Amino acid sequence: MRVGEFQNYIDGKWQDAVSGKKTTVCCPCDGEPVTSLACSDGRDIDLAVASARRAFEEEDWAFNPRLRSDILMKWATLMQEDFAHLCEILSLESGKPLAESRIEIGNAINYMKYAASSARTLYGSTSTVAKNRLSMMNREPCGVIVGIEPWNYPVTLMVRDSIPALAAGNTLIVKPATQTSGCSLAVIKLLTDNVPELPRGVINTITGPGGEIGRIFSEHPGIDMITMTGGLETGKDIMRRAAGTMKKVSLELGGKSPNVVFADCDFDKALTWCANAIFSNAGQTCTAASRLVLDEAIADRFLEKLVERAESIRPGYCLDPETTMGPVDNESQMNKILNYIEIGKSCAKLLTGGYRYMENGCDKGFYIAPTIFLNPPADSPIVQEEIFGPVLVVQTFKTEEEAIALANGTKFGLCAGLWSTDFNRVMRVSRKLKSGNVWVNHYTGFAPECETGGYKESGLDRAAGVDGFIKYTEIKHINMEFG
Ligand code: NAD
């Protein structure tokens, strides 16, 4: 197995699932088996929860921010030292080109360093509420937290979304997405095998059938909070099930994000980012700008150049340095995308792509040619639903009001790009966009220090920044009376 053979990590030990069952992950480029995983069930989950609970109650993790910070910083260094290997296994499991894996692992290290520095900044506040009374608002970790991870950026998002829970003093159970569990677990193994100061039970892992074990987690009474990054329907299911025990829930969900391009933009820069923002990671990015809301005044010239960019993309094997786009993650995802493409053909003008790509040795993988549709009806599924593939929908506009209405015209609100050199327009429009992130004259402007998350059905809560850290705490009000 080129990625590796992995067990669950529970109570300080790597161990097989109680059932002894295993599952295999294959590379989406060619179907080659690359990873073996424990196939867990409720019994493994009970063990992981007991381990995390014991560690939370008995170890001094919750009260030792310096230890937490030191351990997370060591973890970042270990990731840096293993950089080349992590990039390769991430590519093999996800199919993404090596260049994209390098960006992902680099980002993950950056998020890890930020989590390490946050660990020492868990401040509360005090308030003098009467002459003889002082109130302390003390921030305390929530307890046992489960991190349910997606497969599209399995390392960065595990670190960005779940590791701050450790930094805040909680204990953690990581449930990676099955398709990319190997690279997530390889990162965790760097920590567990090389940092003896890590208290037993502080971090635990469970792999297996995502829906089944995810549902058990959501309902489990021994868990205090679920933090999940993934699809909208999964998020709703978690919320419904978690309601039974009033768990805290934090959700980073999907999007149908617009790049809003006005005629007064920097044309070449906007063009580059409009292509990158949909076709990188084969469109499997929550923040993908899967809609281009384009000023009619420049539409013909812009689209001609955009089609050229799309047609210059070279799908191929993930480790081939010439490859600029990998496959989509799995066969059912590919078929779902091809189905959306058929819908598009029936209601919009196809500008390029629109088929499964099988040249250049891609016949065994799940490749889709970069695809662009022009002006489908606003209520069409290809405008309203997250396709999660390299499919761009262009919607043209004449006025600023029309551009804003189109940009806000879906149930999602994760992010938006805004391209204009008119300062007043930038200020007006960015305030009206119903979106957790607005990137002006660039795209994907993430930073560990800055919150990200969704309006509307794109999620609950924020990841990264101060909010992405303190969401893993409870505030305890201690009110003291003195004589
Ligand atoms: P998914 O919802 O299928 O799976 C996400 C995780 O949830 C996986 O670990 C999966 O095993 C688990 N899961 C599946 N069913 C579950 C259930 N019923 N209960 C609990 N857990 C369950 O999503 P995916 O296909 O892995 O990722 C793609 C989706 O994630 C897209 O919609 C994308 O937009 C979204 N996403 C959002 C962000 C963000 O930051 N907002 C980032 C990345 C991905």
Side-chain angles (χ1 to χ4, degrees):
M1 296 282 176
R2 287 180 73 186
V3 172
E5 297 185 25
F6 296 91
Q7 299 163 297
N8 289 327
Y9 187 72
I10 298 175
D11 203 25
K13 288 187 292 291
W14 289 96
Q15 50 193 275
D16 284 332
V18 174
S19 68
K21 287 189 191 158
K22 293 182 189 225
T23 184
T24 302
V25 174
C26 299
C27 176
C29 297
D30 55 11
E32 194 66 25
V34 287
T35 312
S36 161
L37 299 170
C39 188
S40 314
D41 59 30
R43 292 170 291 176
D44 304 288
I45 289 175
D46 286 342
L47 292 175
V49 172
S51 157
R53 179 62 57 195
R54 187 211 62 78
F56 185 72
E57 302 297 346
E58 294 178 16
E59 304 288 345
D60 75 342
W61 185 250
F63 302 98
N64 200 336
R66 293 180 188 174
L67 175 71
R68 302 199 299 265
S69 180
D70 287 352
I71 285 179
L72 296 182
M73 201 53 89
K74 281 185 188 160
W75 197 359
T77 305
L78 289 163
M79 289 174 71
Q80 190 67 61
E81 288 166 359
D82 200 36
F83 186 82
H85 169 245
L86 293 178
C87 293
E88 183 174 314
I89 61 175
L90 171 58
S91 282
L92 283 168
E93 262 191 342
S94 66
K96 62 180 80 184
L98 261 184
E100 290 186 3
S101 291
R102 289 192 191 106
I103 295 171
E104 167 155 5
I105 300 294
N107 286 341
I109 293 167
N110 199 6
Y111 279 106
M112 186 68 86
K113 287 179 181 166
Y114 180 74
S117 59
S118 309
R120 296 174 72 158
T121 64
L122 203 54
Y123 303 116
S125 61
T126 60
S127 177
T128 301
V129 290
K131 195 172 174 190
N132 64 339
R133 288 234 199 132
L134 180 70
S135 282
M136 290 196 308
M137 274 60 71
N138 198 30
R139 283 203 176 269
E140 299 183 348
C142 299
V144 173
I145 297 188
V146 175
I148 299 183
E149 319 295 346
W151 47 260
N152 59 337
Y153 291 92
V155 180
T156 298
L157 295 179
M158 174 180 78
V159 178
R160 183 194 77 174
D161 298 352
S162 296
I163 299 308
L166 285 179
N170 302 279
T171 56
L172 181 67
I173 303 170
V174 177
K175 204 238 44 91
T178 305
Q179 302 94 308
T180 49
S181 291
C183 52
S184 306
L185 295 179
V187 169
I188 292 173
K189 213 165 169 20
L190 287 174
L191 172 72
T192 60
D193 292 5
N194 297 295
V195 183
E197 307 88 292
L198 177 75
R200 178 166 64 89
V202 158
I203 189 165
N204 306 271
T205 69
I206 289 285
T207 54
E212 223 169 280
I213 57 182
R215 285 188 281 275
I216 299 174
F217 275 130
S218 303
E219 291 172 359
H220 202 294
I223 291 164
D224 299 294
M225 177 173 177
I226 302 228
T227 182
M228 175 269 194
T229 305
L232 174 58
E233 292 313 315
T234 309
K236 288 182 178 175
D237 189 47
I238 290 173
M239 260 184 107
R240 275 191 290 265
R241 291 172 193 274
T245 46
M246 282 307 285
K247 286 182 186 58
K248 284 175 73 141
V249 171
S250 177
L251 302 171
E252 296 295 327
L253 306 176
K256 189 76 186 177
S257 301
N259 241 329
V260 185
V261 178
F262 287 92
D264 59 13
C265 67
D266 174 335
F267 188 96
D268 290 336
K269 194 173 169 201
L271 186 70
T272 299
W273 278 102
C274 286
N276 287 352
I278 179 62
F279 298 128
S280 62
N281 211 32
Q284 303 168 112
T285 305
C286 52
T287 53
S290 50
R291 292 184 301 134
L292 167 56
V293 176
L294 180 61
D295 200 326
E296 231 178 60
I298 55 166
D300 290 349
R301 195 160 61 96
F302 199 90
L303 291 177
E304 185 191 324
K305 297 281 175 205
L306 192 63
V307 166
E308 276 173 25
R309 299 276 173 121
E311 291 176 355
S312 71
I313 289 171
R314 189 177 184 281
Y317 183 60
C318 57
L319 300 183
D320 176 348
E322 302 287 309
T323 295
T324 54
M325 192 175 87
V328 297
D329 181 75
N330 57 68
E331 191 169 9
S332 79
Q333 178 70 9
M334 178 183 73
N335 290 334
K336 191 178 132 201
I337 298 166
L338 290 171
N339 191 39
Y340 277 115
I341 287 177
E342 289 313 307
I343 294 173
K345 286 177 183 170
S346 71
C347 67
K349 184 172 177 196
L350 176 66
L351 299 184
T352 186
Y355 57 92
R356 179 177 179 182
Y357 182 91
M358 298 181 74
E359 294 154 37
N360 188 27
C362 292
D363 53 315
K364 293 204 195 87
F366 310 124
Y367 292 85
I368 306 265
T371 297
I372 304 178
F373 286 110
L374 177 60
N375 278 335
D379 61 353
S380 147
I382 65 165
V383 174
Q384 294 299 327
E385 293 170 20
E386 186 183 46
I387 297 177
F388 226 53
V391 180
L392 177 67
V393 168
V394 183
Q395 299 173 280
T396 55
F397 66 85
K398 285 195 178 73
T399 64
E400 190 176 297
E401 290 65 35
E402 215 185 322
I404 294 165
L406 286 171
N408 289 336
T410 74
K411 64 185 172 190
F412 295 106
L414 193 55
C415 47
L418 172 53
W419 297 85
S420 168
T421 49
D422 175 342
F423 173 77
N424 293 315
R425 167 176 281 154
V426 163
M427 291 311 295
R428 275 194 310 273
V429 177
S430 58
R431 287 186 181 191
K432 288 190 180 157
L433 292 172
K434 301 260 180 290
S435 172
N437 308 268
V438 177
W439 294 311
V440 179
N441 295 326
H442 69 118
Y443 204 79
T444 57
F446 292 113
E449 298 80 1
C450 304
E451 283 77 7
T452 181
Y455 278 35
K456 301 193 274 184
E457 296 196 20
S458 284
L460 280 184
D461 248 333
R462 290 293 179 269
V466 174
D467 284 20
F469 172 56
I470 61 172
K471 71 182 178 184
Y472 293 118
T473 63
E474 298 276 12
I475 298 181
K476 181 180 285 171
H477 175 194
I478 302 175
N479 180 261
M480 295 178 294
E481 190 168 280
F482 45 91

